[in-house]
């Protein structure tokens, strides 16, 4: 017996109800009986449409090279992986292949891990592509789900099973929760992708690359090296004291990353007691977007955050401090993404990343070595 959606064949995760087995492994996406058929289809939209997009800047030489290679790969019915460092402008390099696919009447999906990222991406996509209906789906919002072009969270892909799939699938930040390591989501992705895909990430490892072509964009568009984190070995009991000293010394906006939600409010209170304007964000905090907006407007000095801010946020001239760097949550992929918050803007292309840790873990070492390798890579 095997689940037709997620391929689960573990009998411990197959339950019987009303004489039929269903899969508990993927039941959060709706119940699937093991004898159900999964028949996602393709639909041909209008061909030879005049699809254009608008950019208010010119692609760099490297961006343009990869953009053209992605188009060529799609025309040859090949999948592509793009390793693009944080802040390199990877979203815009897929516009050309999107326009081509839409003009051929193909259906296109651009999916990302979290709804905050969908909101931002949807605004950018609708600004760039005029004259075409674009659907958007995330928790609490489903609009134009039958459109030729869809922007959605990866969780929402299940809605296209047994319906109309996609000839072109673009998945950004495939290294992030909840997609990375989630076999159910990956099976759903594969099931609704009836053509070819492009996967984008800042942290592909060798085991992620199989038969696909790996394209590498190791420079940010301002062509300044990625800031390399500094690891400071500090007992856990002294880390917040050192963090306070670093913040006062830098005199700049700073995101302080902590591993646990409970740490957020404790650290905010500590900073406020030392006359620093600080607020916290996490998956259970309200008004996260309002706090980030205040941060961008220089109304607060410090944001204390869980890893919820490791992806998809650009703050000009921001620094980063990681507390409890030895925590298992801070693996190499996560630390690379966190480091990628610094130096993203041309006016402030450098900055500081401090990792305060009781020990120098393999993940910390791997993160530092990988960033140094990307800085010296000649591609």
């Amino acid at each position: 017996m095997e689940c037709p959606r997620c391929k689960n064949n573990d009998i411990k995760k197959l339950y019987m109800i009303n004489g039929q087995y269903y899969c508990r492994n993927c039941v959060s996406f709706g119940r699937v009986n093991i004898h159900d058929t999964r028949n996602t289809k393709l639909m041909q939209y209008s061909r030879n449409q005049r699809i254009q997009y608008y950019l208010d800047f010119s692609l760099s030489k490297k961006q343009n090279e990869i953009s053209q290679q992605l188009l060529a790969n799609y025309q040859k019915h090949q999948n592509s992986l793009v390793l693009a460092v944080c802040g390199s402008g990877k979203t815009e390099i897929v516009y050309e292949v999107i326009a081509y696919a839409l003009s051929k009447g193909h259906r296109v999906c651009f999916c990302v891990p979290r709804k905050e990222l969908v909101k931002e991406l949807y605004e950018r996509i609708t600004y760039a592509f005029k004259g075409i209906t674009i659907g958007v789906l995330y928790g609490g919002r489903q609009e134009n789900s039958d459109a030729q072009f869809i922007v959605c969270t990866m969780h929402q892909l299940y809605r296209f099973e047994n319906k109309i799939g996609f000839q072109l699938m673009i998945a950004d930040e495939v290294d992030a929760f909840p997609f990375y390591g989630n076999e159910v989501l990956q099976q759903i992705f594969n099931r609704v992708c009836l053509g070819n895909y492009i996967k984008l990430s800042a942290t592909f490892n060798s085991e992620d690359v199989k038969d696909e072509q790996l394209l590498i964009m190791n420079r940010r568009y301002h062509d300044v090296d990625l800031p390399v984190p500094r690891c400071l070995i500090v007992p856990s009991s002294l880390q917040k004291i050192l963090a306070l000293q670093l913040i006062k010394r830098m005199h700049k906006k700073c995101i302080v990353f902590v591993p646990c939600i409970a740490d957020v409010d404790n650290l905010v209170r500590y900073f406020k007691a030392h006359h620093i304007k600080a607020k916290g964000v996490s998956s259970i905090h309200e008004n996260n977007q309002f706090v980030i907006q205040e941060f961008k407007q220089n109304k607060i000095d410090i944001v204390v955050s869980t890893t919820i801010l490791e992806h998809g946020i650009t703050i000009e001239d921001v620094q980063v401090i990681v507390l409890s760097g030895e925590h298992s949550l801070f693996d190499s992929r996560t630390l690379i993404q966190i480091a990628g918050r610094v130096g993203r803007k041309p006016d402030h292309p450098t900055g500081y990343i401090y990792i305060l840790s009781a020990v120098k873990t393999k993940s910390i070492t791997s993160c530092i070595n990988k960033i140094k390798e990307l800085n010296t890579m000649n591609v």
Side-chain angles (χ1 to χ4, degrees):
M1 292 189 295
E2 182 179 82
C3 173
R5 170 193 279 153
C6 70
K7 303 298 183 182
N8 165 51
N9 56 14
D10 183 354
I11 191 65
K12 295 179 180 178
K13 296 180 180 178
L14 297 174
Y15 286 69
M16 180 178 284
I17 186 170
N18 297 328
Q20 286 198 349
Y21 280 97
Y22 74 96
C23 180
R24 293 280 295 174
N25 195 47
C26 60
V27 71
S28 60
F29 296 98
R31 182 184 295 173
V32 174
N33 293 325
I34 63 167
H35 296 301
D36 286 351
T37 57
R38 316 302 289 174
N39 187 25
T40 307
K41 301 177 181 179
L42 284 178
M43 175 178 174
Q44 183 67 48
Y45 290 78
S46 298
R47 292 177 180 269
N48 301 317
Q49 303 177 77
R50 183 174 175 80
I51 304 296
Q52 295 181 310
Y53 60 90
Y54 171 76
L55 286 177
D56 52 12
F57 63 92
S58 297
L59 295 181
S60 69
K61 180 181 178 181
K62 189 64 179 178
Q63 284 177 308
N64 189 60
E65 287 176 1
I66 294 181
S67 173
Q68 294 303 313
Q69 187 61 59
L70 291 174
L71 174 59
N73 287 355
Y74 184 69
Q75 290 171 334
K76 292 184 289 187
H77 309 290
Q78 295 177 354
N79 299 322
S80 300
L81 304 181
V82 180
L83 193 161
V85 299
C86 300
S88 59
K90 62 181 180 293
T91 301
E92 290 74 17
I93 65 174
V94 298
Y95 285 1
E96 187 71 19
V97 68
I98 289 173
Y100 171 84
L102 293 174
S103 71
K104 294 297 183 180
H106 298 173
R107 198 179 196 202
V108 177
C109 178
F110 200 142
C111 58
V112 292
R114 295 191 293 265
K115 70 177 183 180
E116 288 79 11
L117 303 181
V118 173
K119 293 176 183 178
E120 179 184 345
L121 179 62
Y122 179 68
E123 289 182 5
R124 294 167 67 180
I125 292 289
T126 52
Y127 175 77
F129 287 83
K130 306 295 185 183
I132 183 168
T133 300
I134 301 173
V136 57
L137 293 88
Y138 56 81
R141 183 181 182 187
Q142 288 88 41
E143 295 180 10
N144 299 313
S145 60
D146 294 329
Q148 182 182 0
F149 190 3
I150 298 291
V151 180
C152 67
T153 59
M154 289 154 174
H155 269 106
Q156 295 294 323
L157 292 176
Y158 83 95
R159 296 182 182 275
F160 302 101
E161 288 187 294
N162 282 353
K163 294 184 180 178
I164 307 300
F166 302 92
Q167 285 98 329
L168 174 60
M169 295 280 292
I170 301 167
D172 195 3
E173 301 191 356
V174 294
D175 58 317
F177 176 86
F179 189 74
Y180 184 74
N182 188 320
E183 293 183 3
V184 174
L185 277 180
Q186 291 173 12
Q187 287 289 351
I188 292 174
F189 178 93
N190 293 336
R191 194 166 297 283
V192 300
C193 179
L194 302 181
N196 294 100
Y197 61 72
I198 298 169
K199 293 182 179 179
L200 308 162
S201 174
T203 57
F204 280 121
N205 291 327
S206 57
E207 60 266 25
D208 299 323
V209 182
K210 297 176 182 176
D211 298 327
E212 304 92 340
Q213 181 179 6
L214 178 64
L215 305 174
I216 300 175
M217 192 159 61
N218 68 313
R219 308 294 293 180
R220 289 174 164 176
Y221 62 92
H222 52 56
D223 204 35
V224 176
D225 281 357
L226 299 167
V228 179
R230 291 184 59 190
C231 179
L232 304 179
I233 305 303
V234 187
S236 299
S237 59
L238 300 179
Q239 287 183 15
K240 67 178 183 181
I241 298 173
L242 179 55
L244 178 64
Q245 293 175 349
L246 291 171
I247 288 167
K248 290 183 175 180
R249 187 189 305 167
M250 289 186 292
H251 295 291
K252 290 177 180 280
K253 289 184 294 188
C254 185
I255 304 175
V256 181
F257 286 92
V258 293
C260 304
I261 293 175
D263 299 327
V264 173
D265 290 337
N266 290 335
L267 202 56
V268 167
R269 285 192 293 268
Y270 176 77
F271 288 142
K272 285 183 175 179
H274 289 83
H275 312 291
I276 292 177
K277 297 176 184 177
K279 289 188 178 181
V281 298
S282 78
S283 59
I284 67 168
H285 281 69
E286 297 180 355
N287 302 317
N288 286 342
Q289 293 302 313
F290 179 74
V291 171
I292 297 305
Q293 194 60 36
E294 284 190 315
F295 195 43
K296 290 181 177 180
Q297 296 170 352
N298 300 315
K299 294 180 180 179
I300 54 179
D301 303 313
I302 304 297
V303 167
V304 181
S305 175
T306 58
T307 55
I308 193 173
L309 294 187
E310 71 175 270
H311 290 81
I313 181 172
T314 297
I315 307 290
E316 189 167 9
D317 199 20
V318 73
Q319 319 303 305
V320 161
I321 297 174
V322 178
L323 294 188
S324 302
E326 71 280 359
H327 195 283
S328 60
L329 186 68
F330 294 125
D331 59 18
S332 177
R333 291 176 182 265
T334 299
L335 291 172
I336 289 172
Q337 287 289 351
I338 286 173
R341 301 310 100 204
V342 176
R344 296 172 71 91
K345 292 289 188 177
D347 292 339
H348 302 280
T350 62
Y352 295 101
I353 306 112
Y354 292 103
I355 303 174
L356 310 189
S357 181
V359 295
K360 192 171 186 179
T361 64
K362 290 182 179 179
S363 293
I364 295 172
T365 300
S366 175
C367 164
I368 293 171
N369 290 342
K370 184 63 176 179
I371 291 175
K372 289 180 178 179
E373 178 187 343
L374 289 167
N375 284 338
T376 57
M377 188 180 294
N378 184 18
V379 295

